Amino acid sequence: MPDAISGRLRGAFRDLASSIVLRDIDRLWEGEGFTHGFYDEVGGQRVSLWRAYEAGVRWSDADHVRRVLRVYEVVLSDHADPATQERLKVALQRDGYRYGADHRIVSAAPAAAPLSGLSALRSAEGIEEAFNRIALLIDGDPRGVGRTPQRA
C-alpha cells in the first residue's frame, strides 16, 4: 500500500518543528505511542528530533497514520499561526484529508465509496490494503463505513 501521508505533507509539518520546543516535540509523539532512536542533529536539534520520530512511523499502516494525524492536529491547533494553518489545510486536502472546525483531521473521501479493485482481494496484500483503507475511513465517518453504497 502506498504511503497514506505524502512526503510533501510530512515536510510541511516538519518545517514547523523548528518553532516547537524539544520537550513539546517529545510529548506530541510520545503521547501517541511513538519512540525515537538516535538522531543526528543535521538541520537543527528540533527538526532532527522530529525526523527521528518520523523514522519510526510505518507510513502505510492505518494505525500509525491515525496517530500521526493526531500529532498533526495538535501542531495545527497549538503551534501554527493562522496563515500557516491555512497553508497546511491546503496541503492536507492534497493528500485527501480535511481539518474540521472541531480541530480534527479526517479523510475527505466519501466513507460509503465502494472498494475498487475487488479482484485484488484474492491476495493477502490486497486484503491488507482494503482493511487499511477501511481503517482510515473510520475516523472520517465511522457510521458510513458499514453503509452499503446506493445503487442507481
Side-chain angles (χ1 to χ4, degrees), residues 62-74:
D63 178 59
H64 277 226
V65 169
R66 272 196 305 276
R67 290 166 36 211
V68 169
L69 291 174
R70 286 194 299 258
V71 169
Y72 289 178
E73 290 169 354
V74 176

Side-chain angles (χ1 to χ4, degrees), residues 27-35 67:
R27 287 179 186 152
L28 283 165
W29 289 93
E30 289 174 2
E32 292 301 330
F34 291 106
T35 59
R67 290 166 36 211

Side-chain angles (χ1 to χ4, degrees), residues 38-76:
F38 171 78
Y39 60 98
D40 188 6
E41 292 183 24
V42 174
Q45 195 174 17
R46 295 170 183 175
V47 172
S48 296
L49 178 59
W50 188 276
R51 282 184 182 277
Y53 280 108
E54 286 181 324
V57 175
R58 290 189 310 269
W59 296 101
S60 61
D61 179 282
D63 178 59
H64 277 226
V65 169
R66 272 196 305 276
R67 290 166 36 211
V68 169
L69 291 174
R70 286 194 299 258
V71 169
Y72 289 178
E73 290 169 354
V74 176
V75 170
L76 269 167

Side-chain angles (χ1 to χ4, degrees), residues 50-108:
W50 188 276
R51 282 184 182 277
Y53 280 108
E54 286 181 324
V57 175
R58 290 189 310 269
W59 296 101
S60 61
D61 179 282
D63 178 59
H64 277 226
V65 169
R66 272 196 305 276
R67 290 166 36 211
V68 169
L69 291 174
R70 286 194 299 258
V71 169
Y72 289 178
E73 290 169 354
V74 176
V75 170
L76 269 167
S77 65
D78 295 356
H79 300 284
D81 60 61
T84 302
Q85 281 183 354
E86 289 306 312
R87 183 176 53 81
L88 290 172
K89 286 178 188 179
V90 170
L92 284 161
Q93 287 174 347
R94 285 188 190 122
D95 268 29
Y97 299 100
R98 63 180 166 76
Y99 181 69
D102 61 353
H103 304 285
R104 294 193 61 223
I105 299 170
V106 295
S107 174

